[in-house]
Amino acid sequence: MTHRNFFRTVLLTSVLVSATVLAQTPYDEGQRALRDQDWNVAAEQFKEAIKADKKTADASMYWRAYALYKTGLQKEAERQVATLERKYPDSRWVKEARVLQIEHDDSEPVIADVTDKNGMDEDLRLFALAQLMERDPDRALPLVLDMLKSTDSESVREDSLFMLGMSDDPRAQEAIARIARDSNNPKLQADAIHMLGVSGNQSSINLLSGLYGESASMEVKEAVIQAYMVADESGEMVKILTGLLKTEQDTDMQINIIRTLGMMDATDELRKIYPTLTSLDTRVAVLEAYFLAGDTDTLRQVLETETNPELRVTAIRGIAMDDDAGSMALLESIYDKATSIEEKKSILESLVMMDDAEDLAMKIVRTESNTELRRDAIHVLGVMEATEAMAELYANIGEKELRKQVLESMMVADDIEGLQKVLQTEKDEELRAQAIQMLAVSDDDGAAEYLVELYPRASHTEKQAVIQSMMIMENAEGLMELMKTETDPELKREMLQMLTIMDSEESDQYLFEMLEKKG
């Protein structure tokens, strides 16, 4: 454990131990979730705590950022820290949050084992400087600048840069601005641009605007867009990004800006933008942005008037992914009214993203006249692992090709029991052979043993299916077991061919023994 992680662990332990055992408020529930290491629940509880109690809002913001880091949502965590910095600049939690950002780096420093004459490695120096920047910035700042220049470690550069970003000293801001304009180290340049967003002051925002306008690099422009998102969720940043979208000519950059507006919940602006766009790609991006913003109502409105097939499909997928109240009924209605197979297919594909979509898939299998769509609906049931529904379908569907599709869907659902039940009752040799092969593809541990036991009482066609299944499962031992009792020359020859193809020690040894005896 590094020094800074050790110090963080000590701090976290001391806070959690002191938390109330019987949680009642969202803040208390969040603390309990932290103790249980249930990071998603903790993040949600602290989000509620921020709204519920202004007295502890700063602490809630810190712990929400901590939980978000733990879940891997680094960008959202950084936005939370930036909000804490803006709203509660004098809070003691701001300092902890700054250290948290510096410390939250899973990669090891490139030269972490290098120490100075005082025994301090770069990891510990960073931790010390983070504290000293708070207590004596005038004295600590030159040391941070020196560390940024002298280190060979990428992670140390990033952490040093972050400390500069948290400083109001003009020298620190000048250093960040200089790095943000320097394209010799693209990674460090992107980090510096990001820090301009984190600092969020007016001079940083102005510099971001200048960088976007003067740079021809797509990477720099993308970094600036992300920095705007980190800087603020207020109308000012949305206004700036909307302005950039109006002047930007590159389609990829337009899409980047649109998606960022979606993540900033700028749905009003997106609704105004959508009718003005002429590019199909950018209109698709707006519909995807509605989903990112959780605005499925607008997606529903789009479906009422939009005629472009690709845009309708995008809206359908957004509604399915959100899966809110009424989504299923809406998609069922759209399916019933749809005139194109492509749109119906898009609804079927979307069902796998929804809860409780089994009934609609079953309805489509029963009522749809197009065989291809019925097959797709059966496949969807397999992806849903709707084993009872598939058993019912297999028992009641008359078409052999659709029954084969059910067997394939059973394999998709890993429904080994369902496939074995089919083999217990099914009389059709072709369907039995299909069930045998689906067992093999399922790669279940007991499938090979089951097929070896089935083999002696199987028909010739079924035996061929079992042999092929052993090949699929790469089960040389199973094939050798079958050869001991098989008397049919054709089937034995087929088994030998399979063993020859297999690349296993068991099959090679078996073949050598046969060849040497022959000699």
Side-chain angles (χ1 to χ4, degrees):
M1 182 182 292
T2 63
H3 297 291
R4 53 183 172 171
N5 287 340
F6 171 76
F7 295 139
R8 170 57 53 207
T9 302
V10 171
L11 173 63
L12 176 60
T13 303
S14 65
V15 173
L16 295 185
V17 168
S18 64
T20 306
V21 174
L22 297 175
Q24 295 177 344
T25 67
Y27 185 85
D28 294 332
E29 293 286 358
Q31 291 290 347
R32 183 163 64 181
L34 286 179
R35 291 197 300 276
D36 295 339
Q37 297 187 14
D38 194 341
W39 311 120
N40 287 313
V41 171
E44 284 302 313
Q45 289 297 331
F46 286 121
K47 185 177 181 179
E48 292 301 316
I50 293 168
K51 304 173 187 175
D53 189 354
K54 297 301 180 185
K55 293 180 180 178
T56 60
D58 55 344
S60 297
M61 288 182 181
Y62 169 80
W63 287 116
R64 181 168 184 263
Y66 181 90
L68 289 168
Y69 272 126
K70 285 292 187 180
T71 61
L73 300 174
Q74 186 162 337
K75 288 188 180 297
E76 192 172 347
E78 288 171 353
R79 290 171 68 180
Q80 184 64 79
V81 171
T83 302
L84 171 61
E85 170 75 11
R86 283 195 309 275
K87 292 189 174 182
Y88 301 96
D90 299 325
S91 169
R92 73 180 182 87
W93 292 102
V94 170
K95 178 169 65 175
E96 298 299 336
R98 290 171 180 171
V99 176
L100 178 63
Q101 281 190 297
I102 294 173
E103 293 170 357
H104 203 275
D105 183 358
D106 292 335
S107 63
E108 291 295 326
V110 175
I111 53 170
D113 58 339
V114 177
T115 59
D116 61 18
K117 62 183 180 181
N118 297 315
M120 295 182 72
D121 61 25
E122 286 191 320
D123 210 21
L124 183 54
R125 286 172 64 82
L126 276 172
F127 184 83
L129 284 171
Q131 308 303 315
L132 293 171
M133 280 288 285
E134 288 295 321
R135 297 194 287 268
D136 191 350
D138 289 340
R139 191 172 175 184
L141 180 59
L143 296 174
V144 176
L145 290 170
D146 181 65
M147 196 167 193
L148 181 63
K149 293 176 184 176
S150 62
T151 184
D152 292 323
S153 166
E154 194 69 29
S155 63
V156 172
R157 282 199 198 96
E158 292 172 7
D159 289 348
S160 302
L161 193 59
F162 177 79
M163 282 190 280
L164 293 177
M166 291 297 99
S167 172
D168 294 328
D169 191 296
R171 291 172 296 173
Q173 297 300 313
E174 287 170 10
I176 293 176
R178 187 168 57 252
I179 297 168
R181 288 194 173 95
D182 185 0
S183 59
N184 290 322
N185 187 333
K187 177 67 170 65
L188 195 61
Q189 182 184 26
D191 290 338
I193 292 171
H194 175 79
M195 285 312 308
L196 291 173
V198 172
S199 63
N201 56 48
Q202 193 57 52
S203 63
S204 295
I205 300 304
N206 293 340
L207 180 55
L208 287 173
S209 179
L211 282 168
Y212 192 94
E214 69 191 31
S215 178
S217 165
M218 293 297 106
E219 289 76 14
V220 169
K221 288 190 172 186
E222 286 176 4
V224 170
I225 292 169
Q226 294 302 311
Y228 277 132
M229 183 177 69
V230 171
D232 200 350
E233 296 183 44
S234 71
E236 182 186 355
M237 297 302 107
V238 169
K239 207 174 287 184
I240 290 173
L241 285 169
T242 305
L244 291 179
L245 182 60
K246 291 177 181 177
T247 58
E248 180 60 63
Q249 299 299 309
D250 183 86
T251 301
D252 288 340
M253 292 309 305
Q254 289 176 337
I255 291 171
N256 200 327
I257 294 170
I258 289 167
R259 287 175 178 164
T260 303
L261 287 170
M263 288 186 279
M264 296 173 76
D265 298 337
T267 52
D268 290 342
E269 285 71 18
L270 290 171
R271 278 192 288 273
K272 295 173 187 175
I273 290 166
Y274 185 77
T276 68
L277 298 172
T278 56
S279 160
L280 178 62
D281 290 340
T282 53
R283 300 193 92 188
V284 167
V286 171
L287 296 182
E288 292 172 345
Y290 286 142
F291 165 71
L292 291 174
D295 185 7
T296 53
D297 288 340
T298 300
L299 290 175
R300 288 180 168 87
Q301 293 171 16
V302 167
L303 284 172
E304 292 175 4
T305 57
E306 185 59 69
T307 58
N308 182 282
E310 187 172 344
L311 294 174
R312 288 183 64 81
V313 167
T314 303
I316 287 167
R317 287 173 180 161
I319 290 169
M321 289 173 71
D322 190 68
D323 196 13
D324 63 357
S327 294
M328 188 64 64
L330 175 64
L331 291 185
E332 183 175 357
S333 173
I334 295 170
Y335 188 95
D336 291 340
K337 296 175 184 176
T339 57
S340 75
I341 290 179
E342 289 72 20
E343 185 160 311
K344 287 187 173 184
K345 277 181 171 289
S346 72
I347 293 172
L348 280 167
E349 291 167 2
S350 298
L351 294 184
V352 299
M353 298 181 280
M354 306 179 74
D355 296 327
D356 304 321
E358 184 178 316
D359 288 345
L360 180 53
M362 285 289 283
K363 174 190 170 183
I364 293 169
V365 176
R366 293 188 180 113
T367 61
E368 178 61 62
S369 59
N370 183 286
T371 302
E372 184 181 357
L373 291 171
R374 294 180 75 192
R375 287 173 61 90
D376 288 347
I378 293 170
H379 176 75
V380 166
L381 288 168
V383 177
M384 291 178 182
E385 299 183 359
T387 55
E388 292 183 8
M390 288 187 291
E392 180 188 337
L393 280 177
Y394 191 85
N396 294 292
I397 287 180
E399 300 96 318
K400 182 181 285 188
E401 289 307 309
L402 290 180
R403 298 186 90 192
K404 284 184 177 181
Q405 180 62 53
V406 174
L407 293 174
E408 184 178 315
S409 294
M410 287 180 175
M411 176 272 295
V412 171
D414 283 330
D415 186 11
I416 307 305
E417 184 180 349
L419 289 167
Q420 291 177 349
K421 283 182 178 178
V422 168
L423 287 169
Q424 290 169 8
T425 58
E426 183 58 67
K427 304 301 183 185
D428 185 283
E429 278 194 351
E430 192 175 347
L431 291 172
R432 288 179 63 82
Q434 173 85 350
I436 288 168
Q437 289 181 340
M438 291 303 101
L439 272 175
V441 176
S442 72
D443 201 24
D444 179 73
D445 291 339
E449 184 178 347
Y450 178 86
L451 293 177
V452 169
E453 292 177 0
L454 178 73
Y455 188 87
R457 57 184 185 275
S459 68
H460 188 276
T461 300
E462 292 166 22
K463 284 184 174 182
Q464 285 181 315
V466 172
I467 293 168
Q468 292 166 2
S469 296
M470 291 297 162
M471 176 65 186
I472 292 170
M473 292 185 286
E474 298 181 349
N475 192 317
E477 290 182 2
L479 274 176
M480 291 186 287
E481 182 70 23
L482 297 179
M483 282 196 68
K484 292 177 182 177
T485 57
E486 184 56 68
T487 57
D488 186 305
E490 180 187 345
L491 292 175
K492 291 190 76 168
R493 181 179 180 82
E494 192 169 338
M495 290 182 200
L496 279 171
Q497 287 177 333
M498 296 296 177
L499 286 170
T500 303
I501 296 170
M502 286 185 181
D503 183 13
S504 74
E505 291 183 10
E506 294 86 356
S507 61
D508 288 352
Q509 181 63 28
Y510 186 82
L511 291 169
F512 272 123
E513 289 176 1
M514 290 188 68
L515 291 167
E516 287 166 354
K517 285 180 182 178
K518 184 70 175 177

